Amino acid sequence: MNLEQLNSIGSGGYFPIELTQARDSEGNPLTIDTENGKVPKVGWYPMKGDIKLIKQNLISIMVHNIGQRFRQEEFGTRLYECLEEPNIQVLEFLVKDFIRDSINSWEPRIEALAVATTRQYDKIYISLRFKVRLSQSIDEVNFEYNPQNQTIYGY
């Protein structure tokens, strides 16, 4: 485990729950002795220093509208305000501005480097390049919004 990455990202559970095999401090798989022999020790273990934790939080920020979350009314983005607007340069500026504002408010572990938006037919694609603040790690997360069925898919 890279200590710098653990300190800059942290640890936590990943959703949806992923069951994994437990490992000892040297990375060897752990087993449990049963009546039928040894079986793998499987469970839900916190991720430590994994970039997937940041991506998960970014997807959560993007899919929530401001005012939608109970007791965290300011969580999310204002992207829903842009959905029915014409595809002009001002709209692209607003989308980028709304995303950067949300990241600055809710994801202090990263710095947004570039936000790109494209539209194809009736779908909106958003690509976000970011840098983890306390490391040199640069990564990207992408979103696809389909207004036909009002779904957001992050990958």
Side-chain angles (χ1 to χ4, degrees):
M1 169 61 53
N2 181 344
L3 189 57
E4 179 182 299
Q5 193 169 358
L6 176 60
N7 289 336
S8 60
I9 295 175
S11 64
Y14 187 75
F15 296 96
I17 293 173
E18 293 179 359
L19 297 178
T20 57
Q21 186 169 5
R23 299 192 176 275
D24 63 16
S25 60
E26 296 167 1
N28 300 319
L30 296 176
T31 58
I32 299 172
D33 291 324
T34 66
E35 298 171 356
N36 299 329
K38 293 184 179 242
V39 294
K41 182 177 180 182
V42 175
W44 184 42
Y45 304 103
M47 296 180 149
K48 296 178 182 174
D50 196 324
I51 198 78
K52 287 170 67 175
L53 293 169
I54 290 177
K55 288 182 176 185
Q56 173 181 270
N57 197 40
L58 289 171
I59 291 169
S60 182
I61 291 169
M62 296 291 275
V63 300
H64 284 90
N65 300 329
I66 290 180
Q68 186 178 14
R69 217 179 210 193
F70 182 66
R71 300 193 76 149
Q72 278 187 319
E73 290 82 10
E74 298 300 315
F75 183 84
T77 63
R78 295 176 56 194
L79 291 177
Y80 62 93
E81 296 177 23
C82 302
L83 294 178
E84 300 299 323
E85 298 300 321
N87 191 11
I88 58 175
Q89 188 69 32
V90 173
L91 179 67
E92 187 172 339
F93 174 77
L94 281 174
V95 167
K96 290 176 181 181
D97 195 45
F98 289 163
I99 291 172
R100 285 200 173 118
D101 284 349
S102 296
I103 288 171
N104 289 338
S105 296
W106 296 104
E107 191 47 91
R109 299 175 289 185
I110 68 166
E111 174 186 344
L113 298 177
V115 179
T117 61
T118 55
R119 287 187 181 210
Q120 280 185 341
Y121 307 106
D122 58 346
K123 293 182 181 175
I124 302 167
Y125 297 93
I126 300 170
S127 177
L128 170 64
R129 262 183 100 228
F130 62 90
K131 175 185 174 289
V132 179
R133 286 197 191 273
L134 298 177
S135 75
Q136 298 301 315
S137 178
I138 294 177
D139 212 320
E140 184 174 289
V141 65
N142 298 291
F143 305 94
E144 175 186 306
Y145 176 74
N146 186 347
Q148 292 286 340
N149 56 10
Q150 295 185 346
T151 58
I152 296 178
Y153 174 67
Y155 52 96

